[in-house]
Amino acid sequence: MDVIQNMMEYSHQSTHFFYHKSSGLKTIISIHDTTMGPALGGCRFFNYKSESHALEDALRLSRGMTYKSAVAGVPLGGGKSVIIGDHTHLRSRELFRAFGTFVNSLGGRYITSVDVNTTVQDLKWMHETTRYVTWPNESYGGSGDPSYMTAYGVYCGLKSALRHQLAKDSFAGVRIGVQGVGSVGELLCEHLHRDGAILTIADTHKARLAVVAKKFGAKTVAPNDIYKADVDIFVPCAMGGVLSDDTIPHIKAKIIGGAANNQLLEDRHGALLRDLGILYCPDYVINAGGIINVYYALRDSTDGFNAKHVEKARKHTAEIEGTLDHIFTVSSRDGVLPHEAASLIAREKLEQARKSQSQS
């Protein structure tokens, strides 16, 4: 992969490659934009097919974090880090201490947190060598588990999509397929089940799938069959890139919106969804609850994270519903795709911030 060319394509500020021999750490930290504030984004530990795939993931995810913060009105920039390798074999205190050292060398331009296959314990190890880390553990002055606010934001966003696409004000009797029932997926199922939705769920972790299915009376299907499920709403809450030429033709849902990042494998897949009459909720808009939660913890960290901050974060997260109302209205009015309308809003906010900074 041509690294500089790809950074130019995504308009990134910097990308950093680190290697630590004794622990086996190979990591990429990508900083997309710090106009609004320091770049915040989790650390993903994944056994990528190649270093090129890892770089592509870091670039796309960090750009998404910039847009997520901008649209949500959070004064943070966008970054992301990826650790390349099998987390079941490489995970160690030494590895995460080394990772923390690398984060620290960036002088606060990047703040890390949890992501796929990283844990609170990993973050504690990072914290031994850097203060630029936030973890979901209130007893350590952290931000509380951001999964709750992420799930709540998706729930609020889906209410907007439900009105715009299906002219419904309630999830009662609405058939919803949830892909991935980890921390966020399970919490979202709880919201939807409480409102009377009929759930179909899928996950690669069979034991967890069975527990969640029993808890909410959900039907289970194999991971690859969730795309074919006879549902009204499809909710991706696992890995990104799931909306592709291979999966979209099988989708029966009329609404797609979930917690996963980078759901569109390519931007052109947004047009394919529109042509099939499917309303797509831009991922970095509907799943912004987690970063909103972290922002209030960082802003008010002097007195620790408490119920006051949770309420502030919850009220801000509820605004995702109105934000999507606006995006769907702009999309319909101007004849642009929802994710294009969202990107335009994000870029406008970033440009306004740059102009304001240049004038000050």
Side-chain angles (χ1 to χ4, degrees):
M1 176 178 282
D2 188 328
V3 178
I4 300 297
Q5 183 61 42
N6 277 270
M7 287 177 59
M8 291 170 61
E9 178 183 344
Y10 289 117
S11 300
H12 278 72
Q13 290 181 355
S14 62
T15 299
H16 308 264
F17 299 82
F18 298 102
Y19 171 63
H20 186 253
K21 184 176 181 180
S22 62
S23 68
L25 173 66
K26 293 191 292 184
T27 186
I28 301 170
I29 299 177
S30 180
I31 296 175
H32 178 255
D33 195 290
T34 56
T35 301
M36 307 288 285
L40 177 69
C43 174
R44 177 168 295 191
F45 203 156
F46 196 74
N47 201 13
Y48 291 96
K49 293 180 181 179
S50 68
E51 292 177 6
S52 292
H53 282 92
L55 176 59
E56 176 73 10
D57 206 25
L59 292 172
R60 294 189 70 201
L61 288 167
S62 56
R63 180 183 63 170
M65 293 301 292
T66 297
Y67 287 5
K68 182 182 298 190
S69 292
V71 175
V74 172
L76 292 168
K80 208 74 175 183
S81 54
V82 298
I83 296 175
I84 303 168
D86 184 347
H87 69 97
T88 62
H89 293 98
L90 279 177
R91 173 173 278 112
S92 69
R93 179 182 180 186
E94 182 188 15
L95 181 143
F96 284 105
R97 281 177 57 85
F99 178 80
T101 299
F102 294 142
V103 169
N104 206 57
S105 72
L106 299 176
R109 293 182 62 232
Y110 170 67
I111 302 170
T112 192
S113 186
V114 290
D115 202 278
V116 174
N117 295 328
T118 51
T119 68
V120 172
Q121 180 58 67
D122 300 333
L123 299 182
K124 291 178 185 177
W125 285 332
M126 295 177 199
H127 194 253
E128 293 177 7
T129 55
T130 184
R131 64 187 178 91
Y132 303 116
V133 55
T134 177
W135 61 65
N137 189 325
E138 293 176 61
S139 64
Y140 283 84
S143 60
D145 188 348
S147 299
Y148 172 82
M149 216 61 75
T150 302
Y152 179 62
V154 173
Y155 167 72
C156 292
L158 288 177
K159 288 195 290 184
S160 171
L162 192 67
R163 287 195 303 274
H164 281 263
Q165 185 75 340
L166 300 180
K168 291 179 178 288
D169 290 318
S170 169
F171 288 109
V174 176
R175 302 165 301 166
I176 301 178
V178 181
Q179 180 187 47
V181 288
S183 298
V184 175
E186 180 178 355
L187 288 165
L188 179 58
C189 285
E190 184 175 343
H191 285 296
L192 298 171
H193 174 72
R194 184 189 61 232
D195 285 4
I198 301 169
L199 299 174
T200 298
I201 61 176
D203 200 294
T204 56
H205 299 282
K206 293 183 179 180
R208 185 175 185 90
L209 182 69
V211 170
V212 176
K214 183 178 180 180
K215 188 174 181 180
F216 302 117
K219 175 184 176 182
T220 63
V221 296
N224 288 334
D225 290 338
I226 191 66
Y227 305 105
K228 307 171 187 176
D230 191 11
V231 296
D232 304 302
I233 303 175
F234 173 49
V235 184
C237 290
M239 295 295 287
V242 297
L243 301 176
S244 66
D245 292 334
D246 294 330
T247 61
I248 291 174
H250 299 290
I251 295 174
K252 299 178 182 178
K254 291 303 178 184
I255 296 169
I256 297 177
N261 289 310
N262 293 331
Q263 295 166 28
L264 299 173
L265 183 61
E266 300 175 33
D267 281 350
R268 66 180 179 84
H269 290 119
L272 183 53
L273 292 175
R274 176 202 57 197
D275 293 344
L276 292 173
I278 300 172
L279 180 64
Y280 174 64
C281 306
D283 46 50
Y284 56 80
V285 178
I286 198 170
N287 68 14
I291 198 168
I292 291 170
N293 191 67
V294 170
Y295 161 65
Y296 280 97
L298 291 171
R299 191 189 73 170
D300 301 328
S301 61
T302 54
D303 58 348
F305 194 73
N306 55 43
K308 176 181 66 176
H309 307 137
V310 172
E311 184 56 30
K312 289 179 182 178
R314 184 179 173 86
K315 286 179 67 175
H316 194 153
T317 299
E319 295 174 8
I320 289 173
E321 181 177 354
T323 299
L324 279 170
D325 281 341
H326 177 61
I327 287 170
F328 295 145
T329 298
V330 171
S331 173
S332 178
R333 182 193 68 201
D334 298 345
V336 297
L337 299 171
H339 75 278
E340 292 172 339
S343 295
L344 179 60
I345 292 169
R347 290 195 296 269
E348 287 177 346
K349 289 192 174 185
L350 288 167
E351 186 58 32
Q352 289 171 2
R354 292 187 187 104
K355 287 182 179 178
S356 177
Q357 290 172 8
S358 67
Q359 294 170 359
S360 60

